[in-house]
Amino acid sequence: MTNHETLMRRAMHMAATARTHARPNPWVGAVVVCVDGSVYEGATSPPGGPHAEIVAMNAARGGGSDLRGATLYSTLEPCSHTGRTGPCTQAIISAGVSCVVAAIADPDSHVAGTGFSTLRAAGIEVVTDVLADEVSAQLAPYLHHRHTGRPFVILKMATTLDARTAIPNGPRWITSEEARVRVHQLRAESDAIVVGSGTVLADDPELTVRHVDGASPRRIVLSRSGAVSATAKVQPCDVWGGSLEDLLDSLGTDGVLQLMVEGGPTVATAFHEQGLINRYVFHIAPIVSGSDSAPGVFVGDSALPLSDCTLISATALGADIEIVLDPIRKKVGTS
């Protein structure tokens, strides 16, 4: 591993600390290495606060270090426009930083390479594509939103070994406490969560974040009747009766970067059959339902061939296994 890669991985670690509070901004990490060898770190602040690069440079100043001649590592191209805060590029130039090492360019229309060009025009060396694939995976929801205008859709389903989502006359929860904590982490990382009205009637879920730190997502109930009981625990919620395509367009316009689908088999099948899922998260419990009447993951003849997916991870969660799969999308123009 090169020194650039080592320090970029350190920046990625900082980015992970901003995952649940940076949105709708990207969760970015930065590391500053000063000429005297001192190293400082930063991560994106909540909206309205300084970006990761500024946090890291302020940390260096607070530590009494000189930024002239320093090298700045950032997981994403520094911004070059004025939004809630000023452009990071101008702050980097003014500080006297001599080199910027970045993983990937920012596809946002306000940036899109202008950050790099601004730095180069000021005489700053710019190195790109360091751990680009890993950072792209870390920022997948943000990048997907900027490329498509829609949220990154995650489907979470808990199943038995025989692919059933419930056990007749069995416990409400088929997975372990560790798996349920993981679900709350996924909720905290999502801007919105959607279920069907059937799940609300059957389970009366809260769909809030309780077992980890983080804000609860916006709650959406799919309902043709357009009504959800005022006493339902999911309240306050939005009710959606239109198409799923229109829902994603609407949420994307609202700045929702990640949507979590946590409904039952009917809702899961609807998203699945329309090719709207970007990531499948299955929590598999070491138990057999043993019932043909118990609902499966999908209804009807829907299938999920493993040949159509990439295995992202397989992780033990207590006694359960979390399997994460990403569908393989054909690129435009390929046969």
Side-chain angles (χ1 to χ4, degrees), residues 35-332:
V35 173
D36 64 4
S38 56
V39 180
Y40 301 90
E41 302 169 324
T44 308
S45 304
H51 293 180
E53 301 93 326
I54 307 304
V55 174
M57 291 193 295
N58 285 344
R61 293 188 182 97
S65 293
D66 190 346
L67 285 165
R68 288 174 296 179
T71 297
L72 171 68
Y73 292 81
S74 180
T75 56
L76 187 67
E77 175 184 8
C79 70
S80 53
H81 67 288
T82 299
R84 291 188 179 96
T85 61
C88 291
T89 50
Q90 187 55 55
I92 293 168
I93 294 168
S94 298
V97 170
S98 64
C99 178
V100 171
V101 181
I104 59 175
D106 188 343
D108 187 278
S109 60
H110 293 100
V111 189
T114 61
F116 292 150
S117 62
T118 298
L119 294 172
R120 289 189 174 109
I124 295 176
E125 179 186 2
V126 176
V127 179
T128 62
D129 299 322
V130 177
L131 298 184
D133 289 344
E134 292 182 40
V135 171
S136 293
Q138 185 179 51
L139 281 171
Y142 171 77
L143 299 176
H144 177 82
H145 179 271
R146 290 303 189 268
H147 285 303
T148 69
R150 289 179 169 181
F152 187 84
V153 179
I154 291 181
L155 170 68
K156 192 285 301 180
M157 296 291 283
T159 82
T160 61
L161 288 175
D162 51 346
R164 301 293 175 174
T165 58
I167 301 174
N169 302 314
R172 176 182 180 183
W173 307 105
I174 62 175
T175 51
S176 65
E177 182 178 350
E178 290 89 344
R180 294 196 291 277
V181 169
R182 171 62 175 149
V183 169
H184 283 250
Q185 182 64 41
L186 290 172
R187 290 179 183 175
E189 294 174 356
S190 300
D191 304 286
I193 186 169
V194 63
V195 298
S197 57
T199 294
V200 173
L201 289 172
D203 300 335
D204 196 19
E206 295 180 50
L207 304 181
T208 56
V209 174
R210 301 184 298 280
H211 301 316
V212 300
D213 292 331
S216 294
R218 172 180 169 187
R219 296 178 288 285
I220 301 165
V221 178
L222 303 179
S223 173
R224 290 193 179 94
S225 69
V228 173
S229 171
T231 62
K233 293 178 181 177
V234 74
Q235 295 284 12
C237 68
D238 297 324
V239 179
W240 185 267
S243 73
L244 298 183
E245 295 264 4
D246 288 345
L247 173 63
L248 296 187
D249 287 337
S250 176
L251 293 176
T253 300
D254 289 346
V256 172
L257 302 186
Q258 181 167 297
L259 172 68
M260 182 175 175
V261 179
E262 203 178 336
T266 300
V267 170
T269 301
F271 276 90
H272 171 67
E273 289 187 336
Q274 294 182 47
L276 301 177
I277 298 171
N278 302 108
R279 177 159 294 170
Y280 297 84
V281 179
F282 295 109
H283 289 174
I284 305 173
I287 188 172
V288 174
S289 168
S291 172
D292 292 336
S293 63
V297 175
F298 299 121
V299 298
D301 298 324
S302 295
L304 182 62
L306 292 180
S307 59
D308 292 344
C309 296
T310 298
L311 176 64
I312 301 301
S313 63
T315 308
L317 297 174
D320 307 318
I321 299 292
E322 179 186 75
I323 302 294
V324 179
L325 302 169
D326 281 5
I328 299 173
R329 309 287 190 192
K330 285 187 178 180
K331 295 183 179 179
V332 176

